[in-house]
Amino acid sequence: MTAALLIERLEKRFAAGAKPAVDGVNFEVPAGEIVVLLGPSGCGKTTTLRCVAGLEHPTGGRISIGGRVVSEPERGVLVSPRERDIGMVFQSYAVWPHMTVRQNVAYPLKHRRNGAGSGGDIRTKVDETLELVGLRDYAERPVTSLSGGQMQRVALARSLVYRPQLLLLDEPLSNLDAKLRIRLRDELRRILKMTGMTGLYVTHDQAEAVVLGDRIGVMRNGKLLQMAPPGEIYNRPADSFVANFTGASNGLLGTVLARSGERATIDLGAAGRIEAWTPQPLAAGDKARVALRAENVRLGERGPANAFAGRVIERRYQGMQTVYDVELGGQRIEVLEVGTAARHEPNGEVAITLPPETCWAYRDDGTAVD
Ligand SMILES: Nc1ncnc2c1ncn2[C@@H]1O[C@H](COP(=O)(O)OP(=O)(O)OP(=O)(O)O)[C@@H](O)[C@H]1O
Ligand SMILES: [Mg+2]
């Protein structure tokens, strides 16, 4: 089947000789799938999205939408944004302030070349779409009387109403307050799945990426580091940046003793040896960093592998959970335990287990991960 969106070796330089903002990115979005680009500020997410929209002119590579090449600078191909059959939702509420909700949503049907329909037809489509985004009762209201979350739903309805081949969303929830953001995030997934829409969604918020994405692509410095379903990004991060960016904040430093396939044994010095999973071809003698999540550590347990003797240095009770700083042979890790009781005393000896599946070894190139 033809991918709804295919991106091959995409490159965008804003100035000749400058470092590319998008640097050789490859991925595809099959029809009906939602792909999320996740990464820190300035990593090239918006630029990638704008290249797909045609608002930015790539300097290399090829973009195809529904099997049709829309951009390929090497061959002088560049299709205008209007002719790409895409919908877009941005961070700011791009609605027409002088119109009602209904008029806003009907606008693209009346003014797009391929969106034309009869009056009754338009009315039905608008009603259906307003129902979908939960604004049926607001149709006749002036759009400016709506809340931020409601306005963003109008913007969404406006780009869904003409059923584009591809919907592009750039941090559409980031202007909303935290509570509303979470609600609309869950709702957005439901709406996109109900319409069977193909989506490319950009965010720097991990939680949003996990909830919305069928697959997540993690970007850094214009490069796509890993693209995989959320569970794989979270449990099998391809490198130490992906691990760290998605919340594996602990790092234990050591030296590789042996590796066999994806299993590595690392010498942590005073703490002893640790077994870990690795996606990299580590060799004995390599400096390694073992990344792990605070919530995967088991405190007070002596498991069958990777069991150590630790010492609680500090305890921070947070009501629903407790965070411990634990010393492990001269290194420090953070441990998170869910539950309203803090079970371990500060300054106490404690058994600690780091389940091997949740320990990921990467080559330590000496650079701190931001
Ligand atoms: N019009 C432009 N001219 C020059 N440089 C640009 C332009 N737009 C973006 N850049 C640069 O390209 C890089 C990628 O920017 P981009 O907006 O794609 O990042 P982003 O991942 O969307 O970040 P954020 O999370 O902050 O929105 C940055 O270094 C940025 O400064
Ligand atoms: Mg951006």
Side-chain angles (χ1 to χ4, degrees):
M1 203 175 84
T2 320
L5 173 66
L6 176 63
I7 294 187
E8 299 166 277
R9 307 174 314 280
L10 180 66
E11 186 205 84
K12 171 64 183 175
R13 282 177 208 270
F14 282 101
K19 200 169 80 55
V22 179
D23 193 0
V25 164
N26 296 287
F27 68 93
E28 63 174 68
V29 188
E33 193 172 286
I34 304 168
V35 165
V36 177
L37 296 179
L38 173 70
S41 183
C43 72
K45 306 180 294 292
T46 294
T47 307
T48 303
L49 202 77
R50 287 174 56 85
C51 286
V52 174
L55 300 171
E56 215 68 80
H57 299 178
T59 46
R62 179 161 59 200
I63 301 173
S64 315
I65 298 175
R68 170 184 179 219
V69 177
V70 293
S71 157
E72 189 174 5
E74 284 89 346
R75 290 200 303 126
V77 178
L78 187 67
V79 173
S80 78
R82 279 183 64 84
E83 286 166 58
R84 292 190 183 198
D85 193 21
I86 46 178
M88 279 183 270
V89 184
F90 299 107
Q91 184 172 341
S92 54
Y93 323 124
V95 291
W96 302 105
H98 56 286
M99 293 182 187
T100 64
V101 169
R102 175 182 300 286
Q103 287 164 339
N104 261 281
V105 178
Y107 189 89
L109 290 176
K110 291 181 174 160
H111 296 268
R112 281 179 70 96
R113 327 176 153 186
N114 56 352
S118 68
D121 200 23
I122 288 181
R123 203 175 170 82
T124 312
K125 282 184 183 164
V126 170
D127 283 342
E128 279 172 8
T129 312
L130 285 176
E131 179 79 48
L132 188 67
V133 300
L135 288 179
R136 188 77 192 248
D137 299 338
Y138 295 79
E140 315 311 331
R141 290 244 211 133
V143 75
T144 44
S145 72
L146 266 48
S147 71
Q150 291 166 335
M151 270 197 248
Q152 202 54 315
R153 280 182 231 211
V154 174
L156 179 66
R158 224 178 41 173
S159 35
L160 286 174
V161 74
Y162 54 91
R163 297 294 155 108
Q165 270 196 72
L166 178 64
L167 186 63
L168 305 176
L169 306 108
D170 191 352
E171 313 237 10
L173 307 180
S174 60
N175 274 347
L176 307 176
D177 68 60
K179 225 171 158 179
L180 193 56
R181 197 157 63 219
I182 291 172
R183 223 182 63 211
L184 209 50
R185 170 187 89 189
D186 297 344
E187 227 168 277
L188 195 53
R189 162 112 194 149
R190 185 183 57 78
I191 293 168
L192 293 180
K193 285 296 157 191
M194 266 172 65
T195 53
M197 190 57 70
T198 309
L200 181 59
Y201 188 104
V202 157
T203 183
H204 61 269
D205 182 318
Q206 304 163 37
E208 235 171 85
V210 172
V211 171
L212 278 157
D214 294 309
R215 282 185 302 146
I216 298 174
V218 180
M219 288 187 73
R220 182 193 198 190
N221 293 337
K223 293 195 159 68
L224 184 61
L225 302 179
Q226 182 176 14
M227 167 126 0
E232 204 174 317
I233 296 278
Y234 266 72
N235 295 302
R236 288 287 177 259
D239 69 19
S240 104
F241 178 81
V242 176
N244 194 268
F245 190 73
T246 55
S249 49
N250 286 315
L252 290 166
L253 297 176
T255 309
V256 178
L257 289 171
R259 178 184 62 90
S260 161
E262 295 188 334
R263 301 225 139 251
T265 307
I266 318 281
D267 177 13
L268 294 178
R273 296 172 169 205
I274 189 167
E275 300 295 325
W277 170 84
T278 185
Q280 297 175 338
L282 298 172
D286 285 349
K287 293 277 170 234
R289 181 175 177 276
V290 179
L292 67 153
R293 290 182 200 289
E295 53 272 37
N296 282 341
V297 178
R298 299 221 288 268
L299 212 51
E301 279 182 43
R302 184 160 292 283
N306 288 353
F308 300 91
R311 193 168 59 85
V312 175
I313 300 172
E314 203 185 298
R315 175 171 87 178
R316 294 184 291 284
Y317 180 61
Q318 299 176 346
M320 302 296 280
Q321 60 187 37
T322 306
V323 178
Y324 299 91
D325 283 339
V326 179
E327 196 233 278
L328 201 66
Q331 303 199 53
R332 230 180 223 234
I333 59 169
E334 212 174 63
V335 180
L336 190 150
E337 265 193 3
V338 176
T340 51
R343 299 191 301 139
H344 312 283
E345 294 302 321
N347 268 318
E349 279 271 331
V350 65
I352 181 169
T353 297
L354 316 177
E357 286 299 298
T358 67
C359 298
W360 312 312
Y362 305 103
R363 187 167 292 109
D364 180 37
D365 54 10
T367 56
V369 178
D370 47 327

